[in-house]
Amino acid sequence: MDRTLSVVFLSVVDIAVIVVVARLFGKLATRLRQPAVIGEVVAGIALGPSLLGLLPGHLDTRLFPGEVTPYLRIVAELGLVWFVFVVGLELDFTLIRGRRRAVASISLLSFVVPFALGLLVALVLHPLHRVVDGKQVPLSTLMLFVGIAMSITAFPVLARIIAERNVHRTGVGVLALSAAAVDDVLAWILLAYVCAVVKGDGVITVLGTLLLSALFAAMMLGVVRPFLTRMVKWHNKTGGRNLCMLAVVAGGVLLSAFMTARIGIHEIFGAFLFGAIMPRQDARHFRRATLDRLGTINSVVLLPVFFVIAGFNVDLRSFTRVDLALQLLLVLTAAGVGKLGGTFAGARLQRMTVRHSAAIAVLMNTRGLTELVVLTVGKEVGTFDTDVFTIMVVMALATTIFCQPALRIVYPDPVLQEDIDAAAAAEPER
C-alpha cells in the first residue's frame, strides 16, 4: 500500500512539473512569435532523454521512473482523445460553399504531391529501419504512414495562426482553412485504413474491421447526430447554463473512442468522428462553452503529459550520426517541397496570384500537433523506430516554425490589410 501511494504521489508531482514546464516553454514560444503548442512540444522533448537525459544523475529516469509511466500514459491518452475531438469539432465545411473548385484543386494537390514524395522517401528509409522491436515492418505500411505524415496539415494550429494575423478575414485564410479541413479528413480516413491493416491478422479480419468502422460511422451520422441536435436545442432553451450537455459530450467522446478501439482501429478515430458530427447550426454558444470549459483542462493539464510521453520516444542525440542527419535532410526537403509545391500549384491552377498562392502554400505547410498524433499512432503500432520517429517529429516542428516568418515575407502586413479592406468593402454586395 505504501508503495502504491508513493507511485501515485510521484505521478502527481510529475504532472505538476510537466504543466509548469510546458506553460513556461509555451510562453517563450509566443514571445518568439510562434504558436504556444510549439513550445509545449519542445518542453515534452526536453523532459525526455534528449535534454534531461544528458544531465548527470539520470534525471529523466529518476523524475519519470518506469512504474510511473503507465499512470502518465493514461493521462496522455485522455489528452490525445480530447484533442482529436476538438480537431473534429473545429472543422467547418460551410467554408467550402461557393469555393468548391478552388478548394478541390488546392486540397487535392496539397495532399497528393507530398504523399507521393513520402512514398519515395519511405523507399529510402525502409532498408535502414525495417526492424522495429524485433519485428519486420512491411514496406507498404511504412510507405503509407510516411505519406500520411508528409501530407497532413495541422488544422487547429493553422486556425490559430490565421486568427492571430487576421488572415481569416481574407480569401487566402478561408481557402487555406477549407483545404486543410479536406486534407485532414482524407488523412484520418487513410490512417484508419492503415491501422486496420496493421492490426488485422488477415484479409477477412481487415475487411471485418473496415465494415464495422463503416457501420459505426453510419450509426454516428444517422442516430447520434440527430440526438445531439435535439440536445443542443434543449441546451439553448435553458440559456446554456445547464451542465448536462457537457457531461453528455464528455461521455460521448470517451464512449466513441472506446468503440473504435474495440473495433480494431484506434481510439482517436471515434473521438474525431464525434467532434465532426457535432451540430454547427445554432450551436456556436455551446461549442464555445465546450472548448472553454473542457478544452482548457485538456490544453493545460492533459496534452502536456502527452507531449512528454511522446518526448520519451524522441532522442535528438542520434543526429550526431551523419546517416541520420542526411535522412533528416531528405525528409525535410521532401516534406517542404511536396506541401509547398503541391499547394502552390493547386492555387495557381485556379488563377490565383503568385503572392496569394505562396501564402496559402506556407499556411498549408503547418503540421504541428496533428502530425504528432499521426506519428504517435505509427509508433504505437510498431511502424516507426525511435530514429524515424525523431526525424519525423523534428520535421513537424521545423515546418510549423517556418510558417510564421515565411508568411510575413510572402504576405506582409500592408498587403494583408489591403485584402482585409477589400473583403470588407465587398461584404455588403454579397
Side-chain angles (χ1 to χ4, degrees):
M1 184 65 179
D2 291 340
R3 180 61 178 170
T4 302
L5 286 175
S6 65
V7 171
V8 171
F9 175 75
L10 184 56
S11 300
V12 173
V13 172
D14 283 347
I15 292 173
V17 170
I18 292 168
V19 169
V20 172
V21 174
R23 183 57 51 184
L24 290 175
F25 274 69
K27 289 290 186 183
L28 177 61
T30 56
R31 287 183 177 275
L32 297 175
R33 305 178 82 173
Q34 292 291 335
V37 68
I38 293 296
E40 293 168 358
V41 172
V42 172
I45 295 174
L47 289 174
S50 294
L51 180 60
L52 205 60
L54 295 177
L55 301 178
H58 303 286
L59 291 180
D60 55 333
T61 55
R62 294 185 66 181
L63 184 60
F64 303 104
E67 57 265 34
V68 171
T69 303
Y71 295 91
L72 296 181
R73 288 191 183 278
I74 294 174
V75 177
E77 284 296 318
L78 289 174
L80 177 61
V81 165
W82 194 258
F83 167 75
V84 176
F85 161 73
V86 171
V87 172
L89 184 65
E90 290 188 333
L91 293 181
D92 188 1
F93 287 102
T94 60
L95 295 171
I96 300 176
R97 292 174 185 170
R99 303 178 177 88
R100 286 184 176 87
R101 181 176 296 180
V103 171
S105 176
I106 294 170
S107 61
L108 179 63
L109 288 179
S110 69
F111 188 91
V112 171
V113 175
F115 185 85
L117 288 179
L119 300 183
L120 296 177
V121 168
L123 290 174
V124 177
L125 296 179
H126 185 259
L128 306 171
H129 307 278
R130 68 174 69 192
V131 178
V132 178
D133 297 330
K135 296 181 180 179
Q136 288 279 343
V137 178
L139 174 60
S140 58
T141 302
L142 182 63
M143 290 176 71
L144 288 172
F145 263 108
V146 173
I148 294 169
M150 292 284 192
S151 55
I152 204 163
T153 295
F155 186 89
V157 176
L158 173 63
R160 281 156 183 76
I161 292 174
I162 286 176
E164 286 174 4
R165 285 208 64 202
N166 287 326
V167 183
H168 65 288
R169 297 164 60 187
T170 69
V172 166
V174 172
L175 284 174
L177 282 173
S178 303
V182 175
D183 275 11
D184 277 9
V185 171
L186 290 174
W188 291 125
I189 293 173
L190 190 55
L191 186 61
Y193 167 77
V194 177
C195 287
V197 171
V198 171
K199 295 184 178 182
D201 296 326
V203 176
I204 301 299
T205 305
V206 172
L207 291 176
T209 300
L210 295 176
L211 177 60
L212 289 175
S213 301
L215 290 174
F216 173 75
M219 182 195 71
M220 295 291 283
L221 291 169
V223 178
V224 178
R225 187 175 186 179
F227 170 75
L228 291 173
T229 300
R230 290 193 292 271
M231 286 289 292
V232 167
K233 291 180 180 178
W234 172 76
H235 178 80
N236 291 337
K237 288 181 180 178
T238 63
R241 293 184 296 274
N242 200 307
L243 296 179
C244 291
M245 186 64 185
L246 292 176
V248 169
V249 170
V253 171
L254 295 176
L255 182 60
S256 298
F258 170 77
M259 292 181 69
T260 50
R262 293 291 295 172
I263 286 172
I265 41 178
H266 197 282
E267 55 267 22
I268 62 173
F269 300 108
F272 173 79
L273 185 56
F274 196 91
I277 66 167
M278 286 292 296
R280 266 61 177 171
Q281 188 174 2
D282 301 324
R284 180 177 298 178
H285 179 270
F286 166 72
R287 292 171 67 193
R288 179 47 51 194
T290 302
L291 292 172
D292 288 345
R293 295 177 181 178
L294 299 178
T296 301
I297 297 174
N298 188 52
S299 62
V300 174
V301 179
L302 303 182
L303 265 184
V305 179
F306 168 70
F307 297 146
V308 170
I309 294 298
F312 290 163
N313 296 313
V314 174
D315 191 355
L316 299 178
R317 297 172 297 181
S318 58
F319 287 127
T320 55
R321 290 165 42 193
V322 176
D323 60 327
L324 281 182
L326 292 175
Q327 292 171 43
L328 173 62
L329 181 61
L330 173 65
V331 169
L332 283 172
T333 302
V337 170
K339 199 69 173 179
L340 292 170
T343 307
F344 183 83
R348 288 292 288 160
L349 284 176
Q350 296 303 308
R351 299 179 180 177
M352 297 187 66
T353 66
V354 172
R355 185 183 295 278
H356 288 163
S357 299
I360 295 175
V362 168
L363 288 168
M364 291 289 288
N365 197 40
T366 302
R367 288 177 176 85
L369 180 52
T370 310
E371 171 86 351
L372 194 58
V373 174
V374 174
L375 299 179
T376 300
V377 174
K379 191 75 170 66
E380 288 178 357
V381 300
T383 301
F384 294 144
D385 61 14
T386 299
D387 289 340
V388 174
F389 184 83
T390 301
I391 288 171
M392 301 303 285
V393 168
V394 172
M395 180 270 288
L397 289 173
T399 53
T400 306
I401 291 171
F402 167 81
C403 178
Q404 287 277 32
L407 187 63
R408 284 184 165 81
I409 294 173
V410 302
Y411 203 34
D413 289 338
V415 177
L416 171 60
Q417 190 58 52
E418 289 178 6
D419 287 350
I420 293 174
D421 294 341
E427 188 68 30
E429 300 175 6
R430 294 176 184 170

